[in-house]
Amino acid sequence: MGILEKIAEIEREIARTQKNKATEYHLGLLKAKLAKYRSQLLEPSKKGEKGEGFDVLKSGDARVALIGFPSVGKSTMLSTLTKTESEAANYEFTTLTCIPGVIEYQGANIQLLDLPGIIEGAAQGKGRGRQVIAVARTADLVLMMLDATKPNVHRELLERELESVGIRLNKRKPNIYFKQKKGGGLSFNSTCALTRCSEKMVQMILHSFKIFNAEVLFREDCTEDEFIDVVTANRVYLPCLYVYNKIDQISIEEVDRLARQPHSIVVSCNMKLNLDYMLEALWEALQLIRVYTKKPGAPPDFDDGLILRKGVSVEHVCHAIHRTLAAQFKYALVWGTSTKYSPQRVGIAHVMADEDVIQVVKK
């Protein structure tokens, strides 16, 4: 019995089992087993053969993966937003490998990867699905392309495929402290009342992973699924934007309904509708900021800004300029929204905001 059959058997068992107090531990164990088999499926086989992947060198300030069913307009989107031409046609599976392009927006270079269409069962390796999903794991954001003319079941199918290979979309990492130990049994604590998971459940899940000595601290009320995610420790938490294409073929009421859903954007690649708003939303979701540098006695250099992530400190800015600069740092003068007055003299721990101007003074 191969891993795929075992996974299918456990999924059938979970579907058969009623959810109540008596069966919750049995379900918890099944979910733990399922997570174990799925992580085995993700790991490459021990044999020496090299798989055919489409690894693309990471470049630019951020990486965005375009994921969707075949023939929803991913290649058209890539050709419209970037200078790269990706073959687009009216039949499915026009794109057979990963095609990278670069979006130039507000001084940042955002790498956009046009991946082949995903079909149902991709997580098990159907239709090159595994390679597609492996590339998606390395991205900073997932752009899920959906066809506005088709039913919403596509979105649920894609989410399920990504969920089963450990990609969590628009979710935070569970606030659970977990550490394996050499001995001393299981030490379990929680800083809040637990309604969705108990100590007995945690113990059973850990036993199914053959872990008997560990320290567990729940800092928030989490489910057993979230605890399994923490134990397996190979989950990726990515922001995701749902892009509904082909809105020129549906009614305005339907467009309005889709546009009001969370994390959703409606566009038309053929008629170039709403693409500027999509880029704006992409910039927000990637949490990128621009920081401009200034030399003493000269105006700021607004042509060549540094592209960094939201929440960076002056130390990160110094490293971005030159790696030796942080060691010689004395103080910095900052103009912009992160200061109380301009220019403000700040230390190395000061947090920068978008479009700040900085002048670094060395020792």
Side-chain angles (χ1 to χ4, degrees), residues 160-267:
R160 211 175 313 137
E161 289 296 329
L162 294 177
E163 189 92 3
S164 68
V165 291
I167 296 175
R168 302 284 177 263
L169 300 176
N170 295 326
K171 283 185 186 173
R172 280 188 315 112
K173 209 171 176 187
N175 198 351
I176 300 172
Y177 171 75
F178 170 75
K179 189 183 177 193
Q180 250 181 288
K181 295 188 299 189
K182 290 279 193 302
L186 176 69
S187 122
F188 178 87
N189 277 309
S190 63
T191 58
C192 58
L194 297 182
T195 56
R196 301 188 285 177
C197 193
S198 62
E199 184 174 352
K200 187 181 172 192
M201 176 72 88
V202 166
Q203 201 169 358
M204 286 176 78
I205 288 169
L206 288 176
H207 280 196
S208 74
F209 279 101
K210 297 194 168 48
I211 297 171
F212 303 100
N213 305 301
E215 205 175 322
V216 179
L217 172 62
F218 276 69
R219 294 197 181 96
E220 62 184 6
D221 190 14
C222 294
T223 60
E224 67 260 34
D225 291 328
E226 289 172 319
F227 178 64
I228 291 169
D229 283 355
V230 171
V231 176
T232 44
N234 60 356
R235 305 294 186 239
V236 187
Y237 296 86
L238 295 176
C240 174
L241 290 177
Y242 303 99
V243 180
Y244 289 91
N245 189 20
K246 307 184 187 177
I247 57 165
D248 47 321
Q249 298 172 20
I250 56 172
S251 66
I252 192 73
E253 291 81 19
E254 183 66 8
V255 171
D256 188 56
R257 188 187 68 80
L258 290 174
R260 288 178 189 279
Q261 291 180 4
H263 311 293
S264 296
I265 301 161
V266 288
V267 299

Side-chain angles (χ1 to χ4, degrees), residues 330-346:
K330 189 177 180 187
Y331 65 89
L333 295 170
V334 175
W335 292 256
T337 51
S338 68
T339 58
K340 289 175 182 161
Y341 47 86
S342 292
Q344 184 178 328
R345 183 174 160 162
V346 298

Side-chain angles (χ1 to χ4, degrees), residues 62-304:
R63 187 178 213 183
V64 175
L66 260 179
I67 278 185
F69 274 93
S71 215
V72 291
K74 297 188 293 295
S75 300
T76 315
M77 163 87 80
L78 184 86
S79 306
T80 313
L81 294 178
T82 69
K83 294 190 180 87
T84 311
E85 281 299 317
S86 180
E87 191 189 338
N90 284 336
Y91 54 87
E92 298 190 342
F93 292 109
T94 321
T95 309
L96 293 172
T97 179
C98 176
I99 298 169
V102 176
I103 304 172
E104 289 167 6
Y105 183 70
Q106 296 194 2
N109 290 335
I110 300 167
Q111 188 182 36
L112 186 67
L113 301 177
D114 177 17
L115 295 166
I118 282 186
I119 53 173
E120 198 179 342
Q124 277 83 46
K126 271 190 200 165
R128 308 202 76 184
R130 271 216 216 134
Q131 289 101 314
V132 173
I133 288 167
V135 174
R137 283 175 76 95
T138 65
D140 298 309
L141 179 133
V142 173
L143 261 190
M144 196 180 281
M145 287 286 283
L146 300 156
D147 193 334
T149 58
K150 302 256 174 79
N152 210 19
V153 69
H154 279 187
R155 175 171 164 172
E156 289 153 24
L157 271 174
L158 280 172
E159 281 175 343
R160 211 175 313 137
E161 289 296 329
L162 294 177
E163 189 92 3
S164 68
V165 291
I167 296 175
R168 302 284 177 263
L169 300 176
N170 295 326
K171 283 185 186 173
R172 280 188 315 112
K173 209 171 176 187
N175 198 351
I176 300 172
Y177 171 75
F178 170 75
K179 189 183 177 193
Q180 250 181 288
K181 295 188 299 189
K182 290 279 193 302
L186 176 69
S187 122
F188 178 87
N189 277 309
S190 63
T191 58
C192 58
L194 297 182
T195 56
R196 301 188 285 177
C197 193
S198 62
E199 184 174 352
K200 187 181 172 192
M201 176 72 88
V202 166
Q203 201 169 358
M204 286 176 78
I205 288 169
L206 288 176
H207 280 196
S208 74
F209 279 101
K210 297 194 168 48
I211 297 171
F212 303 100
N213 305 301
E215 205 175 322
V216 179
L217 172 62
F218 276 69
R219 294 197 181 96
E220 62 184 6
D221 190 14
C222 294
T223 60
E224 67 260 34
D225 291 328
E226 289 172 319
F227 178 64
I228 291 169
D229 283 355
V230 171
V231 176
T232 44
N234 60 356
R235 305 294 186 239
V236 187
Y237 296 86
L238 295 176
C240 174
L241 290 177
Y242 303 99
V243 180
Y244 289 91
N245 189 20
K246 307 184 187 177
I247 57 165
D248 47 321
Q249 298 172 20
I250 56 172
S251 66
I252 192 73
E253 291 81 19
E254 183 66 8
V255 171
D256 188 56
R257 188 187 68 80
L258 290 174
R260 288 178 189 279
Q261 291 180 4
H263 311 293
S264 296
I265 301 161
V266 288
V267 299
S268 169
C269 289
N270 272 349
M271 298 179 73
K272 297 189 171 47
L273 299 176
N274 210 20
L275 291 175
D276 48 352
Y277 172 69
M278 194 198 80
L279 286 176
E280 220 172 283
L282 195 65
W283 178 271
E284 281 298 310
L286 285 168
Q287 298 195 327
L288 296 173
I289 62 168
R290 288 153 297 174
V291 175
Y292 301 109
T293 52
K294 177 186 175 310
K295 288 179 181 168
D301 181 10
F302 286 122
D303 296 331
D304 191 20

